[in-house]
């Protein structure tokens, strides 16, 4: 029986809810550097006119001229076209599937008209070092987007410099340190977070040198006020919390928690990576937060781009605005925009230019298109979709949502547990996700550690129709039934993806990483520069290089 017919028989559904007989092509495509061919060229740019070369002679630009060619692969245009089209065919991306299984990443539709906006020469050909007079339109977009985000979050000031949400969180932590240093309030060496807050909170605090105190949830899924009160002290520099947390549970005591932190002189930082269910409903500033962060590549519909380019926004109260990194865009009395240098207390810039400008334009256009009522509708639809799919998934034997009680329900996502199915069949949540790829869907477990046993995190957002949600549920139902009927097939999945199962140890082990072609050649092909001594195989690791001491 074919997979679509099996789906109809098992679920009693047909039409759009039937399983897709997905099969990805396999090209075994090499890295583009491996396609390097002497003499290969895509475009031959004309030389600079003699008058331009003469005018630039003796200037810093002339002194910076390369004496050797850029080390890029020599590939002609048809090869480049085939290479990237083949890679795209092997990718199950957000535009190809109902991508609600990406968990806390808030995958949503990014309007394609935005691509026309960012392709405009005024943006695409702009340079971050241009004089302010020549980019007044872009500076206006930055200034107005900052004002929109300030209004949406209730905060006093916004900085759009970070190139990622994690960069914004780390900057928040550095602002916390600068604030206490400016006040002479030392030592404050602890940061408090929660186990279901985004892991970047703890990672950023630890990277900045703080001791991290991680609190566990109560029976309703959130950390109660009393737990914060027990650990808050004169050593607390800040609390860093995500709300709703990565379980989708909103902490109703957050305003009291903020007040308790302020009573001991600590700052409060709101990671709003999960803000998609709060737009137009709840604001960080109204709860009294000092700092915060937004992911424009989540809540405000700019593309994730396969892990980048992302965009983060730093949020600050009016009192902490002077600590934001600069330069900042300001509007003069004559209606012109200019760059203002940062003040004496500002932390160092965190990006070589002012943010990822293309994503700022996309977020700006998305907010302008929706308006206040549309933003609230986004949140309400996301909450509705989440609760609908939660009701449908609880029809499956062996899965249950975590922290769902009579008083509270998850908002825009749910951390499910497949522990019952694992106990009955031996199939893990990760193996279910691998099998879902055979039906053309993405599926993710959760951040580590697995506090919820055999977790799965599903966040439908507002972008998907009821029919698409039903299609996802039907495929997950089929996969769960296959776990009972043919666990070996599920355990061996995916069978129809471009790449079979990936070794998770290699993915998480820095010893195996090669983040550039030069490093790959040196590390795995034995070509190029000599291998550094700390990469030489040791007696305890004969099969792979030893990591540098920095690790």
């Amino acid at each position: 029986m074919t997979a679509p017919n099996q789906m109809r028989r098992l679920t009693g559904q047909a039409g759009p809810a039937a399983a897709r007989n997905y099969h990805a092509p396999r090209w075994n495509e090499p890295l583009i550097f491996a396609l390097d061919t002497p003499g290969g060229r895509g475009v031959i740019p004309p030389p600079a006119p003699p008058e331009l070369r003469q005018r630039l002679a003796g200037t810093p630009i002339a002194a910076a001229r390369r004496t050797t060619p850029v080390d890029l692969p020599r590939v002609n245009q048809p090869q480049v076209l085939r290479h990237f089209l083949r890679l795209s065919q092997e990718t199950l991306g957000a535009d190809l599937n109902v991508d609600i299984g990406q968990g806390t990443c808030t995958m949503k539709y990014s309007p394609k008209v935005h691509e026309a906006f960012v392709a405009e020469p005024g943006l695409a050909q702009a340079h971050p070092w241009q004089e302010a007079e020549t980019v007044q339109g872009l500076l206006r977009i930055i200034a107005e987007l900052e004002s929109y985000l300030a209004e949406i979050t209730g905060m006093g000031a916004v900085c759009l410099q970070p190139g990622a949400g994690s960069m914004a969180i780390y900057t928040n932590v550095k602002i916390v340190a600068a604030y206490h240093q400016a006040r002479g309030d030392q030592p404050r060496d602890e940061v408090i977070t929660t186990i279901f807050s985004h892991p970047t909170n703890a990672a950023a605090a630890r990277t900045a040198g703080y001791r991290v105190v991680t609190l566990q949830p109560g029976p309703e899924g959130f950390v109660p006020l009393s737990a914060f009160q027990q650990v808050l002290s004169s050593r607390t520099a800040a609390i860093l919390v995500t709300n709703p947390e990565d379980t989708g549970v909103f902490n109703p005591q957050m305003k009291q928690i903020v007040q308790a932190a302020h009573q001991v002189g600590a700052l409060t930082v709101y990671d709003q990576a999960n803000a998609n269910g709060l737009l137009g409903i709840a604001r960080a500033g109204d709860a009294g937060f000092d700092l915060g962060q937004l992911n424009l590549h989540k809540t405000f519909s700019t593309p994730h781009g396969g892990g980048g380019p992302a965009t983060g926004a730093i949020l600050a109260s009016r009192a902490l605005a002077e600590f934001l990194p600069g330069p900042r865009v300001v509007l003069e009395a004559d209606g012109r925009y200019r760059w203002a240098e940062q003040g004496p207390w500002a932390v160092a810039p965190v990006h070589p230019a002012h943010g990822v400008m293309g994503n700022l334009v996309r977020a700006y256009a998305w907010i302008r298109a929706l308006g206040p009522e549309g933003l609230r509708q986004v949140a309400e639809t996301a909450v509705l979709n989440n609760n609908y799919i939660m009701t449908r998934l609880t029809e499956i034997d062996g899965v249950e949502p975590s922290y769902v009680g009579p008083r509270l329900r998850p908002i825009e996502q749910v951390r499910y547990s497949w522990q019952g199915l694992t106990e009955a069949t031996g199939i893990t949540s990760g193996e279910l996700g691998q099998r879902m790829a055979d039906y053309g869907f993405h599926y993710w477990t959760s951040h580590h550690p697995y506090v919820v046993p055999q977790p799965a995190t599903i966040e439908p957002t507002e972008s998907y129709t009821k029919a698409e949600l039903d299609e996802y549920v039907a495929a997950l139902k089929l996969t769960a039934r296959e776990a009972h009927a043919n666990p070996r097939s599920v355990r061996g999945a995916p069978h129809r993806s471009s790449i079979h199962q990936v070794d998770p140890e290699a993915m998480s082990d820095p010893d195996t990483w090669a983040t550039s072609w030069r490093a790959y050649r040196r590390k795995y092909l034995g070509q190029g520069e000599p291998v550094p001594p700390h990469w030489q195989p040791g007696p305890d690791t004969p099969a792979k290089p030893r990591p540098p001491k920095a690790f």
Side-chain angles (χ1 to χ4, degrees):
M1 180 178 293
T2 64
N5 290 335
Q6 184 184 16
M7 169 67 91
R8 295 187 184 99
R9 182 178 67 81
L10 292 176
T11 66
Q13 296 175 338
R20 299 178 184 273
N21 192 17
Y22 171 77
H23 201 304
R26 297 183 182 180
W27 285 105
N28 194 28
E29 186 68 11
L31 296 174
I32 194 167
F33 280 91
L35 300 176
D36 177 72
T37 304
R41 297 291 291 270
V43 176
I44 302 177
E51 59 272 17
L52 178 61
R53 293 200 300 270
Q54 183 177 2
R55 184 153 56 92
L56 295 178
T59 67
I61 294 178
R65 183 181 178 184
R66 286 182 175 273
T67 58
T68 57
V70 181
D71 186 18
L72 296 176
R74 295 161 293 181
V75 186
N76 63 39
Q77 285 191 25
Q79 283 182 302
V80 172
L81 179 67
R82 285 191 290 269
H83 173 73
F84 285 105
L85 285 179
R86 287 169 177 170
L87 292 180
S88 72
Q89 289 177 347
E90 293 183 319
T91 302
L92 186 59
D95 286 342
L96 297 175
N97 80 106
V98 180
D99 202 10
I100 68 175
Q102 183 69 7
T104 63
C105 284
T106 314
M107 304 298 290
K108 59 167 67 181
Y109 177 67
S110 298
K112 301 312 170 193
V113 67
H114 295 174
E115 305 313 305
F117 299 158
V118 300
E120 284 290 325
L123 170 61
Q125 298 179 17
H127 193 281
W129 293 352
Q130 283 184 228
E131 294 293 334
E133 285 298 318
T134 68
V135 286
Q136 285 292 296
L138 296 184
L139 297 187
R140 176 184 172 184
I141 288 175
I142 293 173
E144 291 188 356
L145 179 56
E146 288 181 352
S147 69
Y148 296 159
L149 297 178
E151 175 63 25
I152 290 168
T153 61
M155 300 297 282
V158 177
C159 174
L160 299 172
Q161 197 177 95
S166 56
M167 189 183 293
I169 294 172
Y170 183 74
T171 308
N172 278 330
V173 177
K174 299 301 287 185
I175 292 174
V176 167
Y179 170 81
H180 292 301
Q181 182 180 5
R183 290 164 53 89
D185 191 4
Q186 302 288 344
R188 287 185 178 265
D189 58 358
E190 291 183 350
V191 165
I192 300 171
T193 188
T194 69
I195 192 66
F196 286 133
S197 286
H198 196 282
T200 306
N201 296 325
R206 187 68 187 91
T207 301
Y210 285 101
R211 175 177 177 268
V212 178
V213 179
T214 303
L215 301 180
Q216 304 295 321
E220 292 186 296
F222 60 85
V223 178
L225 171 62
S226 58
F228 280 94
Q229 290 173 327
Q230 289 176 8
V231 295
L232 284 166
S233 72
S234 60
R235 296 182 59 180
T236 306
I239 62 170
L240 271 67
V241 291
T242 305
N243 191 40
E245 295 191 286
D246 282 354
T247 56
V249 176
F250 185 89
N251 190 330
Q253 298 179 324
M254 193 51 68
K255 190 169 185 177
Q256 294 91 324
I257 292 170
V258 168
Q259 293 170 349
H262 287 163
Q263 287 173 1
V264 299
L267 293 180
T268 53
V269 184
Y270 195 162
D271 176 356
Q272 296 191 82
N274 300 333
N276 204 54
L278 302 180
L279 299 176
I281 298 172
R283 306 196 308 171
D286 296 339
F289 276 93
D290 303 296
L291 294 164
Q293 163 266 340
L294 284 169
N295 292 341
L296 302 191
H297 56 286
K298 290 188 177 185
T299 310
F300 295 93
S301 194
T302 74
H304 281 63
T311 305
I314 308 169
L315 315 171
S317 65
R318 294 189 187 280
L320 271 70
E322 62 181 327
F323 291 91
L324 290 173
R328 308 292 308 286
V329 178
V330 295
L331 178 61
E332 299 284 14
D334 62 359
R336 309 295 290 175
Y337 293 92
R338 68 174 179 85
W339 291 109
E341 293 302 319
Q342 64 185 32
W345 292 111
V347 297
V350 294
H351 199 279
H354 196 86
V356 183
M357 195 64 214
N359 278 351
L360 300 186
V361 171
R362 291 180 177 99
Y364 177 84
W366 191 74
I367 293 172
R368 288 292 299 265
L370 289 167
E373 294 182 0
L375 291 175
R376 184 180 178 104
Q377 185 178 352
V378 163
E380 292 175 346
T381 305
V383 173
L384 175 64
N385 283 351
N386 184 56
N387 281 272
Y388 171 74
I389 205 168
M390 180 176 65
T391 301
R392 292 294 317 279
L393 287 179
T394 52
E395 300 169 1
I396 304 175
D397 289 337
V399 63
E400 62 180 24
S402 58
Y403 304 113
V404 176
R407 195 168 74 91
L408 293 176
R409 296 177 69 86
I411 295 178
E412 90 303 345
Q413 63 185 300
V414 173
R415 183 70 50 84
Y416 297 90
S417 174
W418 286 100
Q419 182 65 19
L421 183 110
T422 301
E423 292 174 354
T425 66
I427 296 298
T428 66
S429 176
E431 289 166 341
L432 286 175
Q434 292 168 183
R435 180 57 171 160
M436 283 287 283
D438 286 329
Y439 297 118
F441 293 111
H442 188 276
Y443 169 110
W444 181 66
T445 52
S446 82
H447 295 296
H448 289 82
Y450 283 179
V451 179
V452 173
Q454 295 303 324
T457 310
I458 295 176
E459 181 183 13
T461 75
E462 78 285 355
S463 295
Y464 299 103
T465 66
K466 178 177 177 295
E468 289 173 318
L469 300 181
D470 288 338
E471 182 182 359
Y472 190 92
V473 171
L476 200 49
K477 280 187 174 181
L478 172 60
T479 303
R481 292 183 181 234
E482 288 178 331
H484 287 276
N486 190 1
R488 189 172 184 178
S489 176
V490 176
R491 187 170 290 113
H495 305 286
R496 301 191 293 268
S497 292
S498 57
I499 297 176
H500 197 52
Q501 296 181 3
V502 177
D503 178 12
E505 181 181 353
M507 295 290 289
S508 58
D509 185 356
D511 291 12
T512 66
W513 298 348
T515 56
S516 68
W517 173 243
R518 179 183 300 174
Y520 180 81
R521 289 178 58 203
R522 181 178 61 219
K523 205 168 185 180
Y524 290 104
L525 303 182
Q527 302 173 359
E529 302 170 7
V531 178
H534 54 255
W535 277 357
Q536 295 290 349
D540 55 338
T541 55
K544 58 184 179 181
R546 195 181 303 168
K549 292 182 179 180
F551 286 115

